[in-house]
Amino acid sequence: MVQILGNNHTNGVILLLAASLDYLIGDPWGWVHPVQVMGWVISHFTQLAIHLWQQPWQRRLAGIGLGIGLIIGSGVAGWFIVLLGIWLNPFLGIGIGTILLASCFAGRSLRAAAMDVLQPLTAGELKLARSRLSQYVGRDTENLCESEILRAVLETVAENTTDGVTAPLFYAIVGALIPGVGSVPLALAYKAASTLDSMVGYRREPYTNLGWFSAKFEDLLTWIPCRLTVLTLALMSGKPQQVWHLCRRDAIADPSPNSGWSESAFAVILEVQLGGTNFYSGVVKQKPLLGKPTYEITPGKIDQALELTRYCFLIWLGIGLVFCLVQYAIALHNLIV
């Protein structure tokens, strides 16, 4: 049974079906999403930890336990669910694996979120656009002008291209190439790390110590797929040396070791400038300026960014499928010989 789970042709089928499912349907309304389950666990544990433990070292230990437990637990749970499905029926296992893996990809959701804000904005409904934007970003949106809303949307697309699209695919491909593991466990484990970072990975109380491990570990897990994403985008742009050089120049100014790289890549390729002044709960935060403002940010630029994200995903998917086919061919050859 574990051998079936690790078969590269099966993993390749799950990868392809999951990518297609995310592109065509995304996350169906009303369905229980794995991230919702993760969020429920994080929320309840966080409330318990804040109530029970007051000392910084206690909360840091609790945060480490939460992070390790949820990340490993999510991966093991995904592996076991797919394994159980395969035990009942191989096609059922593939179906379950497809649904779980598709839930880790946010390509369609990212596009839907951008369009949800751009639709009222282009119709002149500025207040509605601000309200919808507040559902997707952490910054204050009540007083944002049109240009600032467009910048916020583009920055969201740029950052989430790595966190929500390419990084989960990277770990799905890695898992597909490990015998007996499969795409789902590693993708779910990364999704757990990303969810932890978004919920508790803050540098303010009460999360300073509780979310310390989650923030650091998510940065570590995202480091490689982020650089590979930037490299892919740079090659797609036709000016790889320029993109890579400017990313190295600008990205280091961002406090995040990853989001600055992703945003810089989009800024350079689209020839716009990201970063600047943001407000969070009324507090001013200056983000480093990334890229040069050769052009203004427009809905068309955001659409170009979404296309870059989609093509980057498709390139990685194609590479992953080739790896699966090559490994399957080698295994088949060894079996025959």
Side-chain angles (χ1 to χ4, degrees), residues 37-57:
V37 178
M38 296 172 190
W40 184 89
V41 173
I42 295 168
S43 177
H44 282 72
F45 183 90
T46 299
Q47 293 175 15
L48 182 65
I50 292 173
H51 177 71
L52 292 179
W53 300 299
Q54 305 299 323
Q55 297 298 321
W57 67 269

Side-chain angles (χ1 to χ4, degrees), residues 12 15-16 19-20 105 169 173 312-322:
L15 271 173
L16 182 59
S20 301
F105 301 150
L169 178 59
I173 294 172
C312 183
F313 181 88
L314 290 174
I315 290 171
W316 284 28
L317 178 64
I319 293 172
L321 293 175
V322 169

